[in-house]
Amino acid sequence: VDPNSDLVRRVLGAEPRAIGRAMRLVDDASPGSSDLLKALWPHTGKAWVLGVTGNPGAGKSTLCDRLIEAYRARGHRVGVVAVDPSSPYTGGAILGDRIRMSRHATDEGVFIRSLATRGHLGGLTRSARDVVRILDASGHDLVIVETVGVGQDELEITHTAHTTLVVMAPGMGDEVQAIKAGILEGADVFAVNKADREGADSTVRDLELMISLGNESIRALSKMRGHATHGTADGFVHGGSAATGVSADERWTPPILKCIAVRGDGVLELVNALERHRAWVEGTARGQARRRARLAEQLRESLRESLIDAAVHDLGPLIDAAVLAVDTRRVDPYTATENLVAAFRAR
Ligand SMILES: Nc1nc2c(ncn2[C@@H]2O[C@H](COP(=O)(O)OP(=O)(O)OP(=O)(O)O)[C@@H](O)[C@H]2O)c(=O)[nH]1
Ligand SMILES: [Mg+2]
């Protein structure tokens, strides 16, 4: 009898304690966790995954709280993965996020999980991806993943999302410059939050300019990396075509929406923009190509992890010998790498 089967049944039945236990097993890479994920896999693929990223303090958690409220009102079950900018030892941000989303703490239709940026066996990206799958399998039809848009891990995590919302706020200095370039490239919808503050319009203009100037380079970069591109060919248009987001040839133009998360202003318009993007991904050939490109990216990431694990496991002593050979300058590091790859292939 599969020792996980009872747990699988309870996760699929959306029992909060079982969901929490499954997440801990997966996080610790416990024996049986990969069987658990395999057993859950057939029940995944139904959730819409929304990545929410942006500068620290831009109001991501406050906005997520509003999005939870809006989607709950529409009868959806919502899962949240909050990837914290702090280490697991300070815990401040984890607590902060819990409090900010605490209005939903007693709502059975909402499951919030914090992930610290360190201390994950197999990496943060894998942890986040697996937690998303557990939330998906347990019937959360919207899964929100909140990350700070600064590091490589955070960028990779946005690849697990179907729709990426980038949150900016005025009055934080050069916010458009501060954010990691790859994150802007991957943005499907922009929210300029804290529109109650001065400078929101100029942040909107900066974004428009950045997108219109950046298109050529963004697309060149995407092509180079083998990504499907979803930038626009003819510059960014705010208003007009941005209202639908989709042009005649099915290209998606990331719309920019102003909002005030603390008051809930502009949230419905934002939800509408997110839903339009979802319809684009689901309903157009370009959207589906985009979705497949992201899946390919995830598969490559998971392949890379597995191959490295397998190689380190299989070649252990050979790797030590290669290090020694390079250190004593008997072999150059390029040849040493080639030899290791050849030895791994020969197995
Ligand atoms: N004036 C104003 N303040 C806001 C608005 N939205 C959020 N804030 C405040 O901005 C601060 C940061 O909000 P958070 O939601 O924690 O921001 P965050 O992006 O999740 O922050 P990190 O997760 O730490 O990167 C809090 O004090 C919020 O109350 C807004 O629309 N207007
Ligand atoms: Mg936050």
Side-chain angles (χ1 to χ4, degrees):
V1 180
D2 174 9
N4 286 318
S5 62
D6 181 54
L7 182 59
V8 169
R9 192 179 48 74
R10 289 170 52 225
V11 169
L12 296 179
E15 281 182 41
R17 287 182 55 198
I19 296 171
R21 189 162 120 71
M23 288 176 179
R24 280 191 302 279
L25 284 175
V26 166
D27 229 15
D28 299 341
S30 303
S33 62
S34 92
D35 286 340
L36 172 67
L37 288 165
K38 282 182 199 161
L40 292 176
W41 169 258
H43 306 276
T44 63
K46 288 169 250 155
W48 188 251
V49 184
L50 170 65
V52 178
T53 189
N55 305 94
K60 299 178 294 296
S61 299
T62 313
L63 199 54
C64 285
D65 189 70
R66 294 293 180 181
L67 292 175
I68 295 170
E69 187 177 52
Y71 277 91
R72 286 300 290 146
R74 295 175 176 209
H76 294 285
R77 297 184 60 226
V78 183
V80 180
V81 185
V83 181
D84 293 294
S86 61
S87 77
Y89 307 105
T90 64
I94 296 176
L95 190 63
D97 275 336
R98 288 243 169 94
I99 287 169
R100 233 155 270 145
M101 296 186 205
S102 65
R103 293 191 293 134
H104 307 291
T106 55
D107 180 348
E108 289 224 334
V110 180
F111 193 104
I112 299 176
R113 168 78 171 183
S114 285
L115 286 184
T117 49
R118 274 183 273 165
H120 295 276
L121 287 166
L124 182 63
T125 308
R126 181 158 83 184
S127 287
R129 191 178 56 219
D130 292 342
V131 166
V132 167
R133 286 189 180 146
I134 292 169
L135 288 168
D136 182 354
S138 54
H140 297 88
D141 20 35
L142 173 69
V143 177
I144 299 175
V145 183
E146 179 195 334
T147 64
V148 170
V150 288
Q152 183 59 32
D153 270 341
E154 285 80 358
L155 175 62
E156 276 184 13
I157 287 168
T158 64
H159 295 152
T160 60
H162 301 116
T163 299
T164 299
L165 169 66
V166 174
V167 183
M168 316 287 267
M172 299 171 73
D174 216 345
E175 45 277 344
V176 174
Q177 310 272 313
I179 203 147
K180 204 171 163 63
I183 283 182
L184 293 177
E185 180 192 320
D188 301 309
V189 178
F190 286 100
V192 174
N193 187 38
K194 306 196 186 182
D196 53 324
R197 291 202 182 157
E198 214 154 311
D201 289 325
S202 100
T203 302
V204 170
R205 279 195 301 275
D206 284 356
L207 277 174
E208 287 172 343
L209 185 67
M210 189 263 332
I211 292 171
S212 64
L213 287 178
N215 266 329
E216 287 308 314
S217 49
I218 284 172
R219 272 184 301 132
L221 196 67
S222 299
K223 217 169 173 181
M224 215 167 69
R225 292 180 185 168
H227 299 178
T229 176
H230 61 286
T232 70
D234 40 15
F236 184 80
V237 189
H238 185 225
S241 78
T244 60
V246 184
S247 66
D249 70 344
E250 294 190 344
R251 284 178 194 276
W252 174 260
T253 306
I256 304 173
L257 292 106
K258 287 195 287 185
C259 61
I260 305 173
V262 279
R263 290 195 218 139
D265 291 3
V267 172
L268 284 181
E269 290 81 353
L270 183 58
V271 167
N272 289 339
L274 297 171
E275 289 297 321
R276 281 196 301 274
H277 183 261
R278 176 183 188 157
W280 176 80
V281 172
E282 286 176 345
T284 66
R286 270 182 198 276
Q288 275 161 12
R290 157 81 187 287
R291 186 175 171 140
R292 263 194 299 278
R294 294 224 163 161
L295 280 176
E297 199 136 12
Q298 280 186 52
L299 205 58
R300 272 198 297 274
E301 275 159 20
S302 116
L303 185 63
R304 190 159 45 229
E305 286 158 12
S306 300
L307 279 176
I308 288 174
D309 286 353
V312 168
H313 177 267
D314 286 12
L315 302 177
L318 285 181
I319 296 176
D320 295 340
V323 171
L324 189 65
V326 174
D327 190 34
T328 54
R329 307 194 72 82
R330 275 181 288 124
V331 181
D332 67 82
Y334 312 102
T335 307
T337 305
E338 280 169 16
N339 290 345
L340 286 171
V341 171
F344 185 56
R345 281 215 169 114
R347 276 165 191 263

